[in-house]
Amino acid sequence: MKFFSKSILAATAALGFAGAVQAAIVEVSTDITADTRFTRDNVYVVTKVIYLLPPAKLTVEPGTTIRAARADITGFANSPGSIVVSRGAKLIGNATADDPIIFTSLDDPFVPGGAKTIPATVTGSAGSVTITPQSYAIDGATSSNAFAYSKECGGIVLLGRTPLGYDRDGDANFLTWDGTTHGGVDATGTVTSETIAYPNTFTTATGNGTGFALIEGLTNSVVTLTTAFDPDGAGSVFAPSTSFNPGFFGGVDENDNSGVLRFWSHRYGGYNLAANNEINGLTMGGLGRGTIIEFQEVAQNADDGFEWFGGYVNNRYIASILNGDDCFDDDFGYSGNSQFLFAINDNESYNRSGWGNGTDGTSVGRNTFAVSDKIVESDGSEPDNSRVTPQTNHWAYNFTFIGNKGANVAPAAQDSAIQFRLGSNEQWLRGVSEDIHGPVFVVGNSTTTPVDTKGDLLDTLYFNFGSVSTGTDADNTVGLTVTNISQLRGKGHATKNGLDPRLIDDTSADSVARDDIGSDPARSGVLNFFSPVRHRGAFRDNNWLSGWSWSSAVDLINKADDNVARPVVTLSVASTTVSASFAADTTETVGADAVVYVIERSTDGRTFVPFASVKDGGANDADAAAGQITLADSGYTFSGSPVHYRVIPQ
């Protein structure tokens, strides 16, 4: 176990916004090379780019606050506070809605314990630096507030060992990856005799379909590990070595495991190391299916909210809030699945009503240098229009996208909903897209050879938009329906408690059949990933951001008491049947329909698989009493090992 020195005792910090302990400020200023635990009774200050090196595991307890330094503070090098989980290492942050993990700036007061957890000083390269907190106030007569800041720190970077759609070796041959064999083809598709050699010299020019790349936002460096790292697990491809490049990602394992991130709020990140070289809110490079990404919020980041550079990781319940570039960005042949995605775009020069400031006409939004770009931008493999595989193939269901039509200063091309670029093969279904300044759908040229764009945008409602689509879409299937009213309860960008992205009336959305998700043998476990729900959008009756997120803490979202109550589940066993019973929320009767609950099970307490949905009085409800639900799980073979269940209201 690695211990960090504890400095400066802070005043009382509240845990979970209740209860009090004496919290210590713990500075993290060296790479993590052994198994380490961040505990909820401390506040951790990351003073630079910190690498978690293999085979170390960092466990972050639920309820922990991690603060990160800005690289332009006197005494700090050009190395913003960030945590980079190098390939072969693991980050375990399995938090809860009651006790989320928060990664934020040095002086963000919207955390458990509030301003009392802000460090008075932080140790930089030139010694102790006094921290003068900025005003994040959301009430009072000041133009500085929670919405004014970005690039106050770096971010979280997760790196794994999956194949990448990337080739920078400088020759005319492009390498392919199909999971079992490797072969070279040129730009016309002709098989070549190129010998596939994995690079042993790491530069930004090396890499191929099964090779390596340097992750965006970091610089090339080499460290010496105490123990030789075997990146393949068996030494069959790469020789174990103590010489290690911590910022590189890629490999040969589609099911690689970089850890668990559940209920994290990432705030005020995106500090740029150099021009056009910012850190994303959550950067995922080559993550495998063994990595768990659920209930993640990125807010006020200067660059993208979420970006996938290759990989096969799956994602659920992820929110990109007022970030400075794309909300969701695919690249390097990312081939995962996502469900329940929410994005609200842009945050430029607003007069925010109801917060107490800005009412005198003072603009209190973020500066225009952080103008947002696309909500979704999907790129193929690198370089563009090459035959490097894997190509990008992202399947996403249930999304709600809110642009900023009417208040946006960006050109229309910068504020579109979904853009598929060359070499991407996407499936985006069951969405709600509103207030889009530009087109709802932008597609790459589907006739460009050798690689075209073949994306589908289906079963999506849109309202208040600039245009429907642009680009050549002959090879793309578009199923969009315009509506004459908003489908959402509240879209207030600038009004306190004005954002409520739940559906007003899901009568039409509830009629969508679940079985059109489809089955693709090449996509491992795809039908075991998607929740069996019929509604469009990321939210139906339950706002899953409520309570634990930055959006909730700063009063952006509506925190009214009518949000769906969290169910308290009782389990009972009879022979081989497990029954889950809980009280149904009866306050939501939107569209004359009851709240839908998704039931999931897990054999390891880590990976949960949705297997049924139920509503009070519905077909799967075995309890005839109104307001009470019982669902019997009899289709699963129980082997005697513990089985975990969770219930998520929609």
Side-chain angles (χ1 to χ4, degrees), residues 19 93 139 178 231 375 589:
D139 290 294
D178 63 10
I375 294 181
T589 56

Side-chain angles (χ1 to χ4, degrees), residues 199-514:
N200 52 25
T201 301
F202 296 92
T203 70
T204 56
T206 64
N208 51 52
T210 55
F212 292 92
L214 176 66
I215 196 68
E216 179 181 83
L218 300 181
T219 55
N220 190 12
S221 62
V222 179
V223 299
T224 301
L225 302 177
T226 302
T227 303
F229 173 59
D230 183 352
D232 190 39
S236 60
V237 176
F238 303 96
S241 175
T242 57
S243 180
F244 184 74
N245 302 78
F248 279 76
F249 65 104
V252 296
D253 185 2
E254 293 182 9
N255 297 309
D256 191 35
N257 173 12
S258 296
V260 179
L261 269 71
R262 188 175 276 131
F263 286 105
W264 282 62
S265 179
H266 310 256
R267 310 173 180 178
Y268 300 115
Y271 191 91
N272 53 314
L273 298 175
N276 300 314
N277 193 19
E278 300 88 0
I279 295 177
N280 302 300
L282 182 58
T283 301
M284 293 164 280
L287 296 187
R289 297 186 188 97
T291 308
I292 305 299
I293 303 292
E294 290 186 333
F295 294 102
Q296 299 294 300
E297 175 201 46
V298 174
Q300 292 288 117
N301 198 78
D303 198 41
D304 297 332
F306 297 82
E307 185 160 7
W308 297 270
F309 292 89
Y312 298 80
V313 66
N314 299 320
N315 324 269
R316 286 192 290 185
Y317 302 102
I318 58 176
S320 181
I321 310 294
L322 304 176
N323 294 308
D325 196 5
D326 304 318
C327 299
F328 306 106
D329 195 341
D330 307 334
D331 210 338
F332 277 48
Y334 170 63
S335 301
N337 308 307
S338 299
Q339 192 173 23
F340 309 116
L341 302 94
F342 174 62
I344 182 168
N345 216 0
D346 299 335
N347 177 26
E348 296 120 24
S349 302
Y350 282 120
N351 297 328
R352 296 192 178 274
S353 174
W355 270 275
N357 53 5
T359 55
D360 59 352
T362 303
S363 295
V364 295
R366 196 170 53 211
N367 293 333
T368 54
F369 65 78
V371 169
S372 299
D373 198 6
K374 316 294 189 302
I375 294 181
V376 174
E377 182 173 284
S378 176
D379 291 277
S381 59
E382 296 289 339
D384 289 339
N385 202 33
S386 70
R387 291 186 180 271
V388 181
T389 64
Q391 287 286 343
T392 298
N393 189 4
H394 189 180
W395 283 18
Y397 283 69
N398 296 99
F399 57 91
T400 299
F401 295 158
I402 303 175
N404 198 13
K405 183 175 172 59
N408 191 300
V409 299
Q414 282 189 275
D415 187 20
S416 57
I418 295 178
Q419 180 174 20
F420 297 159
R421 303 181 71 178
L422 288 173
S424 62
N425 187 356
E426 303 275 297
Q427 299 276 342
W428 287 74
L429 291 89
R430 297 190 187 153
V432 177
S433 186
E434 302 194 354
D435 297 353
I436 303 302
H437 192 68
V440 176
F441 187 31
V442 180
V443 297
N445 190 340
S446 61
T447 61
T448 299
T449 57
V451 179
D452 63 10
T453 302
K454 297 180 179 179
D456 297 333
L457 176 60
L458 300 172
D459 200 14
T460 293
L461 306 178
Y462 61 100
F463 169 75
N464 191 26
F465 56 96
S467 61
V468 178
S469 64
T470 184
T472 304
D473 59 2
D475 286 347
N476 299 276
T477 305
V478 182
L480 302 174
T481 302
V482 65
T483 64
N484 57 11
I485 61 171
S486 171
Q487 303 298 298
L488 308 177
R489 303 189 194 188
K491 300 178 291 184
H493 299 238
T495 304
K496 188 174 183 178
N497 299 136
L499 177 62
D500 190 344
R502 298 176 295 171
L503 296 175
I504 292 175
D505 186 336
D506 72 340
T507 302
S508 61
D510 197 40
S511 67
V512 178
R514 186 247 179 180

